[in-house]
Amino acid sequence: MPPGQRPAKPVSRARPGGEEEFVPAPRSARGPQEASRPAREAPPKQPAPQREPHGPESRAQSQAESKLSSTESRLLAFEARWWRASGAKTQAISDELELTPERYYQHLARLIDHPEAAAEQPAVVRRLRAARDQRRAER
């Protein structure tokens, strides 16, 4: 057995002094009432069929989506994540995006005005625009 793994069942091993060592079975992460239930397996995911765009609107939309740079797409995907503490987000901005928080928010402020960004992450862009509008109204 590879190091760091436990056997599936309790095992008794003989020690050199004639004593036996008891190794317990690994615990499940489920609670005691769920221990007897079989674990559910997720069904395998099927890839969605690719559809060809039809009409001028869908062609314009697919072109608009491709106009965002990879950095802009990363910024939107990063902002879509939920953060429990602002300090953790600030640290992640520096670590993952290699930007200062000031530069990150400057890029984001410019990015939410572009229709390409709204096409890629509509919920994030709506949320950021609403927050910006609220701050402006409070002034």
Side-chain angles (χ1 to χ4, degrees):
M1 181 177 351
Q5 290 187 354
R6 290 185 166 177
K9 296 181 181 179
V11 177
S12 294
R13 292 187 204 154
R15 286 189 167 179
E19 298 175 16
E20 289 191 6
E21 176 186 4
F22 180 75
V23 179
R27 291 184 175 180
S28 68
R30 296 184 281 179
Q33 59 275 70
E34 295 181 23
S36 61
R37 293 185 203 162
R40 293 184 185 173
E41 292 184 20
K45 292 186 178 183
Q46 298 286 332
Q50 298 292 327
R51 295 183 180 171
E52 290 295 319
H54 298 287
E57 303 93 25
S58 57
R59 270 188 241 122
Q61 183 181 7
S62 65
Q63 288 175 350
E65 289 176 358
S66 65
K67 287 185 181 179
L68 286 180
S69 71
S70 64
T71 304
E72 292 169 336
S73 297
R74 286 177 53 211
L75 287 174
L76 286 173
F78 184 86
E79 186 62 30
R81 292 167 35 191
W82 288 95
W83 298 95
R84 294 177 189 224
S86 62
K89 183 177 180 180
T90 303
Q91 186 64 41
I93 290 169
S94 300
D95 294 343
E96 294 179 27
L97 301 174
E98 298 175 354
L99 292 170
T100 63
E102 293 80 15
R103 293 292 294 161
Y104 168 76
Y105 287 111
Q106 288 171 353
H107 282 297
L108 202 58
R110 283 191 295 265
L111 189 58
I112 62 174
D113 290 326
H114 292 286
E116 297 90 15
E120 185 169 321
Q121 295 272 353
V124 172
V125 171
R126 277 195 309 267
R127 176 175 55 85
L128 293 171
R129 285 178 181 170
R132 178 186 62 191
D133 294 343
Q134 183 179 7
R135 285 191 305 269
R136 284 182 180 170
E138 289 174 356
R139 291 183 198 166

